[in-house]
Amino acid sequence: MEVKTIEWLDGKVRWLNTLMLPHEEVYEETTHFERVAIAIERLEIRGAPAIGVAAAFGVALAASNYRGSNVDDFKSFLLNVVSRFSRTRPTAVNLFWALDRVKSLIVNHVGSVDELKDRLVKEAIKIYEEDIEVNKRIGVNGLKYIDDGDVILTHCNAGALATAGYGTALGVIRAAWHSGKRIEVIATETRPILQGARLTVWELRKEGIPVKLITDNMVGYVMSRGLVSKVIVGADRVLLSGHVINKIGTYTVAVLAFRHSIPFLVAAPKSTIDLRTKVDEVVIEERNPDEVRYVLGKTLITLPDVEVINPSFDITPPELVSAVITEDMVVERPVDINLPKALNMSLR
Amino acid sequence: MEVKTIEWLDGKVRWLNTLMLPHEEVYEETTHFERVAIAIERLEIRGAPAIGVAAAFGVALAASNYRGSNVDDFKSFLLNVVSRFSRTRPTAVNLFWALDRVKSLIVNHVGSVDELKDRLVKEAIKIYEEDIEVNKRIGVNGLKYIDDGDVILTHCNAGALATAGYGTALGVIRAAWHSGKRIEVIATETRPILQGARLTVWELRKEGIPVKLITDNMVGYVMSRGLVSKVIVGADRVLLSGHVINKIGTYTVAVLAFRHSIPFLVAAPKSTIDLRTKVDEVVIEERNPDEVRYVLGKTLITLPDVEVINPSFDITPPELVSAVITEDMVVERPVDINLPKALNMSLR
């Protein structure tokens, strides 16, 4: 069964509360936009693409339930709603990208209140469908890298639970599975937040794709025993230099894959490619040390005041990357070929 | 303050209950050997050298409290006690090594009950003192590898809490610290059992040695940012081929250290060197999957029935090892020099 992370259901928004996973599968439902905003703030909905879709659905909800017929009043109400959503997760790039699309519709609208309501609902559904479509195309483009019998190691959760559905890294795994390839997945637990243990395991199990869980420090072991044939991960950002910025631990996996000559694949939408930033300009955000000191925010595993290093992501250099798989193209061996040229060509 | 993991106190055995660390520092005390056996079984006392010492103390306790004067009865009682201890942790090599020393004293004793009591207490104290002495010599031998200003990454706990005191990898760190070198330590948390987060952090803090905690998947990140200058770990076994068998995750750290040209040091007593086993004969023990599914045995982090791979250790090949530091000698670059010859020379 495919996971429905978030859906528009005839004037309601329905989403899976990822905070309760994997222990409880709780779907939330609302007709009020404010509840959607709170769901983003509380991380019930997480993952940049999923947040963008949720915000667009939120604005569509606000529009649908509006009682009034003056278009100017309606527009000013809607712009307040957009502003409300823009404050939910101030660093999520996809959130602003989705809200900009919606905002431009509002500002440029000529016509009745009902026509604008209709257009906003359609635009939100389009953003949702596009995200799934992009992921499915990434899946198709990645298919050729996955062989029958592969055991694929993945880190963190770049799955349906981080997108409108289907996922990027897990999208490739899904595509391979549904094409009839017999594959297995090894999921790293992904400390400190445990996205692998909590989300990837749950999501793959849900679709019947075989999955085994390991701790992050077992990656070297499973590779040295010949238990892994491919690695696939998502990306928060891919630089033009070919550097891949992704969840902390990705670089460690990449170095080990390189030593064992295991293909290291990155699956990410083109919207992830950062045309401007140079690798030495990348700022590595340090997160709350309590994420390391406590497990799941409740179980203290060390001295409560021990000093901690807690970077949220790391940088994998292009020489460790076998291919970057996007919805449009696949860039193989970004260190050898001219990645800027390849990307510029199709991005500009 | 130095940690007293286990001590003989005038007819009593006193030990630090490591199960309660780091949240509570609970010392247990008993005059009855059975309580010591239970402490080993419950893992209140862990680490191969510490277990060997505890068993010797346990037999000494049993002897001290014996009420009787017939030497043959006394010997047969003592051999039962030895047998009781040999069943506590059937795979601990140091346990049998310590018990063999004690047993041979019992079997070969000629003289009175009181004389045997006296000899057993003295032998137990000798085993204890030898263990600390060996660790201190490892510390001294390792000193030359540690420079002022070093940041030393260590995995798991090869410290006072795994030995009679002082520790092996942490023994080198202690020796450097007490010699006045300004060093800092980065401890990996060491999933699944979290020996780094629970024990290493506590032990170093206790002595005022600066320590920071990271999750296991951050090793690549801290090395790539130039935050680590040396790595030092202990070993469960070192093969004549130079392969190092140690806590799961050690190999991952070694591969990353090699990529970043960071010295990878192994500190281990000569008793750890395995003269017989070939690397392809090493059996990697799989432990209980619930260790991965639960944190600290209580917090479920994934689906309760997910398949798990849970090897207790991994194998680091000699080409990744900069030096093996023992109490007698240091073998540098075991892959380049003839390690078997070097070790045979001094071991036989």
Side-chain angles (χ1 to χ4, degrees):
Chain A
M1 197 207 86
E2 249 176 58
V3 179
K4 294 270 188 193
T5 311
I6 185 163
E7 288 180 281
W8 177 267
L9 289 176
D10 197 21
K12 283 184 296 197
V13 176
R14 186 169 184 262
W15 68 95
L16 179 56
N17 183 342
T18 62
L19 289 180
M20 310 299 279
L21 290 176
H23 305 317
E24 285 180 73
E25 190 175 331
V26 176
Y27 288 89
E28 313 280 352
E29 219 177 76
T30 188
T31 55
H32 201 288
F33 75 90
E34 178 61 21
R35 178 67 184 87
V36 179
I38 289 170
I40 297 172
E41 285 170 344
R42 284 186 187 158
L43 309 184
E44 296 176 18
I45 301 165
R46 42 68 68 182
I51 289 170
V53 170
F57 278 162
V59 176
L61 265 191
S64 298
N65 295 328
Y66 185 76
R67 305 272 170 263
S69 57
N70 181 298
V71 171
D72 289 335
D73 291 352
F74 185 41
K75 284 185 176 185
S76 101
F77 163 76
L78 288 173
L79 292 176
N80 277 328
V81 172
V82 167
S83 161
R84 166 73 184 97
F85 275 100
S86 71
R87 290 189 306 269
T88 51
R89 291 288 300 276
T91 55
V93 175
N94 286 54
L95 173 63
F96 296 108
W97 169 85
L99 288 175
D100 280 350
R101 279 178 65 164
V102 166
K103 195 170 169 180
S104 128
L105 266 188
I106 298 166
V107 172
N108 300 318
H109 178 70
V110 181
S112 72
V113 164
D114 281 347
E115 281 164 358
L116 183 50
K117 285 183 180 185
D118 192 50
R119 292 185 69 183
L120 286 170
V121 169
K122 283 189 174 135
E123 185 70 8
I125 292 172
K126 200 173 158 207
I127 289 172
Y128 164 85
E129 286 172 347
E130 279 174 14
D131 185 54
I132 294 179
E133 178 58 26
V134 158
N135 291 341
K136 291 199 166 166
R137 279 159 58 196
I138 290 173
V140 169
N141 286 341
L143 251 185
K144 63 175 170 181
Y145 293 105
I146 309 300
D147 297 314
D148 203 46
D150 268 349
V151 179
I152 305 165
L153 186 142
T154 188
H155 184 62
C156 195
N157 175 266
L161 294 169
T163 61
Y166 210 71
T168 55
L170 295 193
V172 175
I173 288 170
R174 277 196 167 82
W177 178 255
H178 292 302
S179 79
K181 291 177 181 170
R182 283 157 305 177
I183 55 174
E184 285 179 35
V185 176
I186 293 179
T188 55
E189 64 177 9
T190 318
R191 278 279 287 151
I193 307 294
L194 295 166
Q195 292 92 338
R198 295 193 301 113
L199 307 181
T200 299
V201 161
W202 180 86
E203 183 176 333
L204 292 174
R205 175 74 77 82
K206 200 80 187 164
E207 281 200 63
I209 303 174
V211 58
K212 286 181 181 152
L213 180 67
I214 60 172
T215 64
D216 299 307
N217 61 16
M218 292 173 190
V219 173
Y221 170 83
V222 292
M223 288 183 178
S224 72
R225 307 300 275 192
L227 302 176
V228 177
S229 48
K230 304 283 159 61
V231 173
I232 187 160
V233 296
D236 286 293
R237 270 200 278 178
V238 179
L239 306 187
L240 276 186
S241 55
H243 289 82
V244 174
I245 299 164
N246 192 41
K247 180 66 59 212
I248 185 72
T250 303
Y251 170 64
T252 289
V253 175
V255 168
L256 288 158
F258 189 77
R259 178 176 166 88
H260 292 282
S261 304
I262 296 167
F264 182 87
L265 307 165
V266 176
K270 256 175 28 185
S271 61
T272 307
I273 293 165
D274 179 338
L275 297 168
R276 274 177 295 272
T277 312
K278 305 246 178 298
V279 65
D280 51 9
E281 295 165 355
V282 175
V283 179
I284 307 266
E285 175 200 349
E286 279 270 336
R287 292 174 58 88
N288 187 335
D290 279 345
E291 288 181 355
V292 172
R293 295 176 187 136
Y294 292 81
V295 167
L296 300 185
K298 61 183 180 189
T299 304
L300 180 63
I301 61 160
T302 187
L303 296 175
D305 59 348
V306 66
E307 252 197 280
V308 160
I309 306 173
N310 186 21
S312 53
F313 55 82
D314 59 27
I315 303 176
T316 299
E319 68 267 24
L320 302 180
V321 177
S322 307
V324 178
I325 303 162
T326 76
E327 66 272 36
D328 276 0
M329 64 193 164
V330 174
V331 181
E332 288 194 353
R333 299 178 58 71
V335 72
D336 289 345
I337 72 144
N338 192 330
L339 181 69
K341 199 174 267 177
L343 294 176
N344 278 319
M345 271 170 53
S346 86
L347 286 172
R348 282 177 184 166
Chain B
M1 198 207 85
E2 248 175 60
V3 179
K4 294 271 187 195
T5 311
I6 185 162
E7 289 181 281
W8 178 266
L9 290 176
D10 198 21
K12 284 183 295 195
V13 176
R14 185 169 185 263
W15 67 94
L16 178 56
N17 183 342
T18 62
L19 287 181
M20 310 298 280
L21 290 176
H23 306 316
E24 286 180 71
E25 191 176 329
V26 176
Y27 287 89
E28 313 279 353
E29 220 177 73
T30 188
T31 55
H32 201 287
F33 75 89
E34 178 62 20
R35 178 68 186 88
V36 179
I38 290 170
I40 296 172
E41 285 171 343
R42 284 186 188 159
L43 309 184
E44 295 176 18
I45 301 166
R46 41 69 67 184
I51 290 171
V53 170
F57 279 162
V59 176
L61 265 192
S64 298
N65 295 328
Y66 185 75
R67 305 270 170 265
S69 55
N70 181 299
V71 171
D72 289 335
D73 290 352
F74 185 41
K75 285 185 176 187
S76 101
F77 163 75
L78 288 173
L79 292 176
N80 276 329
V81 173
V82 167
S83 160
R84 166 73 184 98
F85 276 100
S86 72
R87 289 189 307 269
T88 50
R89 292 286 301 276
T91 56
V93 175
N94 286 53
L95 173 64
F96 296 108
W97 168 85
L99 287 174
D100 280 350
R101 278 176 67 164
V102 166
K103 195 170 168 179
S104 130
L105 266 188
I106 298 166
V107 172
N108 299 319
H109 179 68
V110 181
S112 70
V113 164
D114 282 347
E115 282 163 356
L116 183 51
K117 286 184 179 185
D118 192 48
R119 292 185 69 185
L120 286 171
V121 169
K122 284 190 174 134
E123 185 70 8
I125 292 172
K126 200 172 157 210
I127 289 173
Y128 165 84
E129 286 172 347
E130 279 174 14
D131 186 54
I132 294 178
E133 179 57 26
V134 158
N135 291 342
K136 291 198 166 165
R137 279 160 57 196
I138 290 173
V140 169
N141 287 342
L143 252 186
K144 64 175 169 181
Y145 293 104
I146 310 300
D147 297 313
D148 202 47
D150 268 349
V151 179
I152 306 165
L153 186 142
T154 188
H155 184 62
C156 196
N157 176 266
L161 294 169
T163 61
Y166 209 72
T168 54
L170 295 193
V172 175
I173 287 170
R174 278 196 166 82
W177 178 255
H178 293 302
S179 80
K181 290 177 181 171
R182 283 157 304 179
I183 54 174
E184 284 179 35
V185 176
I186 293 178
T188 55
E189 64 177 9
T190 319
R191 278 279 287 151
I193 307 295
L194 296 167
Q195 293 91 339
R198 293 193 302 112
L199 307 181
T200 299
V201 161
W202 181 87
E203 183 177 332
L204 292 174
R205 175 73 77 83
K206 200 80 187 165
E207 281 199 60
I209 303 174
V211 58
K212 286 182 180 151
L213 179 67
I214 61 171
T215 65
D216 298 307
N217 62 15
M218 292 172 191
V219 173
Y221 171 82
V222 292
M223 289 183 178
S224 72
R225 306 301 275 192
L227 302 176
V228 177
S229 48
K230 305 283 158 61
V231 173
I232 187 159
V233 297
D236 286 293
R237 269 200 278 178
V238 179
L239 306 187
L240 277 186
S241 54
H243 289 82
V244 174
I245 299 164
N246 193 42
K247 179 67 60 211
I248 185 70
T250 304
Y251 170 65
T252 289
V253 175
V255 168
L256 288 158
F258 189 77
R259 178 176 166 88
H260 292 282
S261 304
I262 296 167
F264 182 86
L265 307 165
V266 176
K270 257 175 26 185
S271 61
T272 308
I273 292 165
D274 179 338
L275 297 168
R276 275 177 295 272
T277 311
K278 304 247 177 301
V279 64
D280 51 9
E281 295 165 356
V282 175
V283 179
I284 308 264
E285 174 200 350
E286 280 269 336
R287 293 175 57 87
N288 187 335
D290 280 346
E291 289 181 353
V292 172
R293 295 176 187 136
Y294 292 81
V295 167
L296 300 184
K298 61 183 179 187
T299 304
L300 180 63
I301 61 160
T302 187
L303 295 174
D305 60 347
V306 66
E307 252 197 280
V308 160
I309 306 174
N310 186 20
S312 53
F313 54 83
D314 59 26
I315 304 176
T316 299
E319 68 267 23
L320 302 181
V321 177
S322 306
V324 178
I325 303 163
T326 76
E327 66 273 35
D328 276 359
M329 64 193 166
V330 174
V331 180
E332 289 194 353
R333 298 177 59 71
V335 71
D336 289 346
I337 72 144
N338 192 330
L339 181 69
K341 198 175 269 176
L343 294 176
N344 279 318
M345 271 170 55
S346 87
L347 285 172
R348 281 177 184 165

